[in-house]
Amino acid sequence: GENVEQHPSTLSVQEGDSAVIKCTYSDSASNYFPWYKQELGKRPQLIIDIRSNVGEKKDQRIAVTLNKTAKHFSLHITETQPEDSAVYFCAAEGADGLTFGKGTHLIIQP
Amino acid sequence: SQTIHQWPATLVQPVGSPLSLECTVEGTSNPNLYWYRQAAGRGLQLLFYSVGIGQISSEVPQNLSASRPQDRQFILSSKKLLLSDSGFYLCAWGGQGNQPQHFGDGTRLSIL
């Protein structure tokens, strides 16, 4: 089955700086990669996703890149703001469905 | 549009008591449905998923069970709760054909 590794587990950045969260996956047949943001005590919400026929996707301050050859994908947040503080989960969809990474706690320092 | 309802939002139960958490989805038919548990500060652990009425797949051995009596209803149950069952339980739908899963608001379960 699919195995998704996510790093780092905790990331602290200064407000205004960029944050990068990286994930690797094991199943080369996986072709859909969503990212979720979970604020404290709330449900995970989809923030961006990418499909395997695309190498990069951007939505305002958020971008996701995908390297299918290396089987890794990353979330990039630019000009970070206090409201970006949350736990972020990557996921990969393979034959067995969606597999989540263990999450990254992003802390934005004022 | 599709919506997902999960209740209750918070639940405090004594050890050994039964459990029933309910999740319903509106605005879609024959969705894939999922139950996840999230321990404090931890990731999402898939407990059960269902691709149709009466079809339940269990991902981890435990004292919980799931049922899908109707197309858009997914129920998580236990006959006797353990302390280790405490956590944040999330229901989700979707995840078919390169589409995302969408989560309910969750139930925070505390076992005393």
Side-chain angles (χ1 to χ4, degrees), chain A residues 16-72:
Chain A
D17 287 351
S18 295
V20 181
I21 301 170
K22 299 181 179 181
C23 289
T24 60
Y25 62 98
S26 60
D27 186 353
S28 56
S30 290
N31 51 18
Y32 174 65
F33 308 90
W35 284 87
Y36 290 83
K37 175 184 179 182
Q38 186 179 26
E39 296 177 359
L40 188 63
K42 297 190 177 180
R43 61 187 165 122
Q45 292 196 294
L46 179 73
I47 54 171
I48 196 168
D49 57 9
I50 192 167
R51 292 175 173 80
S52 60
N53 59 343
V54 176
E56 183 174 356
K57 183 176 178 180
K58 191 172 181 181
D59 182 3
Q60 300 182 3
R61 296 186 297 108
I62 294 173
V64 57
T65 58
L66 171 65
N67 184 326
K68 284 217 72 179
T69 302
K71 290 190 280 188
H72 67 69

Side-chain angles (χ1 to χ4, degrees), chain A residues 79-91:
Chain A
E79 300 171 25
T80 53
Q81 300 170 5
E83 54 265 34
D84 294 330
S85 291
V87 177
Y88 292 79
F89 292 96
C90 65

Side-chain angles (χ1 to χ4, degrees), chain B residues 62-81:
Chain B
Q62 60 207 309
N63 70 320
L64 299 171
S65 62
S67 62
R68 186 168 178 176
Q70 300 178 45
D71 181 42
R72 282 167 268 183
Q73 185 184 29
F74 204 23
I75 298 171
L76 183 70
S77 304
S78 174
K79 292 181 180 177
K80 282 180 125 177
L81 286 167

